Amino acid sequence: MSSTLESPSPLNNPTQSTSGLSVLRMASAGDASRRVAREIGSLIRHRASQHRNCVLGLATGSTPIRVYRELVRMHREEGLSFHNVVTFNLDEYYPIKPDAAQSYVRFMNQHLFDHIDIVRANVHIPKGTIELEAVPGYCRDYDELIASSGGIDLQLLGIGRTGHIGFNEPGATRDTRTRMVKLDDLTRLDAVKDFGGIEHVPLLAITMGVDSILQSRRIRLLAFGEHKADIVQRAIEGRISSTIPATYLQTHGDVQYLLDDAAADCLSSATLGETIR
Ligand code: PGA
């Protein structure tokens, strides 16, 4: 793990621009999810009209499930095609087989890919079965593939209670790229519900790095529920530091947090620019 690096938060330091970060408090998690799904749908259609690909960075966990449900509905009922879509998932446990119940391959198939017309060759999820010695080269290739695909147009994010984005746990610095990481104890505890016992939760994962994420053109972070309120406040209003990797999002030019009331509960009224009802 790298040592903690600190710099002032733009929100606490009026000399720095805060224009790149916006916070929307939405009436419900469903409303927030539909808003992001609509934005993704518009981006895909806009790119298709230009005969170009749309590159999406995708997340797993309970938070983005409603976004995927809405995208599937848009595919079925509104004819949204994913033919021109290329996807890169943030992370995967290591080691894990793709057909394991807890693998993110299984998660993405179940919630999205099995229900849409995406070209399977355009789907990328870090492999949990790579030989240990091959992992560094594999991770370099993953970042290079993102770049050669044109870079991520829109990155969907959740946030862990440790302040992780992807599996960039406390200690992950601004310059990190795709790599193998050790999972934080709190993250492993939060995964017990999926694995049925702490002894079954993997110790390691492969994740896109903080820098890999910050290279995305747009970032949309969803957080719902009172258990996220404290970390959301520290991520948005706290000092930029590797102690909470999500604080690095404060340096990005186009990042939007979409929160429900409970997740927005600890934010100051100055931060909450817009409440959508
Ligand atoms: P969750 O996880 O959506 O299951 O709360 C979010 C995350 O760890 O990034």
Side-chain angles (χ1 to χ4, degrees):
M1 288 270 174
S2 340
S3 61
T4 297
L5 298 176
E6 298 225 350
S7 51
S9 154
L11 285 164
N12 293 340
N13 178 351
T15 61
Q16 292 189 34
S17 163
T18 60
S19 59
L21 189 151
S22 61
V23 182
L24 304 185
R25 182 166 60 178
M26 304 290 296
S28 69
D31 282 1
S33 305
R34 280 186 290 277
R35 184 182 173 105
V36 171
R38 269 202 309 276
E39 182 176 5
I40 292 172
S42 302
L43 191 57
I44 294 171
R45 285 195 171 104
H46 178 65
R47 286 300 173 83
S49 74
Q50 301 173 320
H51 306 286
R52 290 170 65 197
N53 280 344
C54 176
V55 183
L56 299 177
L58 300 180
T60 50
S62 55
T63 307
I65 289 177
R66 274 170 282 217
V67 175
Y68 299 143
R69 196 179 299 154
E70 178 66 5
L71 288 173
V72 170
R73 189 200 63 75
M74 289 163 77
H75 171 67
R76 288 186 178 148
E77 295 177 14
E78 298 172 10
L80 176 66
S81 172
F82 290 77
H83 244 89
N84 64 323
V85 173
V86 178
T87 65
F88 290 91
N89 264 77
L90 282 167
D91 47 21
E92 177 60 287
Y93 292 111
Y94 184 91
I96 199 160
K97 298 216 173 77
D99 57 356
Q102 305 85 358
S103 91
Y104 288 160
V105 170
R106 184 108 168 232
F107 176 99
M108 290 307 303
N109 286 340
Q110 183 190 339
H111 292 287
L112 186 63
F113 299 142
D114 283 350
H115 313 289
I116 58 175
D117 62 341
I118 195 158
V119 178
R120 286 284 170 160
N122 288 346
V123 167
H124 308 93
I125 302 175
K127 276 201 175 73
T129 51
I130 295 289
E131 290 293 321
L132 199 56
E133 314 79 69
V135 168
Y138 175 79
C139 291
R140 264 196 308 279
D141 290 349
Y142 200 78
D143 278 324
E144 273 166 26
L145 197 55
I146 294 174
S148 65
S149 301
I152 291 173
D153 293 305
L154 187 150
Q155 174 69 57
L156 193 58
L157 288 181
I159 184 169
R161 289 195 298 150
T162 60
H164 71 204
I165 45 173
F167 276 136
N168 293 287
E169 299 286 16
T173 50
R174 166 76 177 73
D175 57 355
T176 46
R177 311 282 298 170
T178 301
R179 71 206 183 288
M180 178 171 283
V181 292
K182 201 171 159 301
L183 294 175
D184 191 274
D185 290 344
L186 182 57
T187 298
R188 293 188 66 239
L189 213 54
D190 282 345
V192 165
K193 60 183 185 319
D194 300 323
F195 285 88
I198 192 77
E199 67 280 13
H200 303 302
V201 181
L203 293 165
L204 302 172
I206 295 177
T207 184
M208 278 167 56
V210 174
D211 186 51
S212 317
I213 292 170
L214 289 175
Q215 304 228 345
S216 312
R217 292 183 187 90
R218 301 183 201 180
I219 297 175
R220 300 294 177 255
L221 188 150
L222 298 167
F224 308 131
E226 62 182 334
H227 62 299
K228 297 290 174 74
D230 176 58
I231 196 65
V232 161
Q233 187 275 333
R234 292 198 286 157
I236 297 173
E237 296 176 350
R239 290 174 68 81
I240 299 169
S241 155
S242 63
T243 307
I244 298 177
T247 57
Y248 290 116
L249 298 174
Q250 294 175 25
T251 66
H252 190 272
D254 185 354
V255 55
Q256 190 169 71
Y257 277 74
L258 296 100
L259 310 171
D260 65 1
D261 279 333
D265 201 39
C266 296
L267 290 170
S268 72
S269 51
T271 299
L272 282 169
E274 205 176 339
T275 299
I276 298 181
R277 295 288 166 200

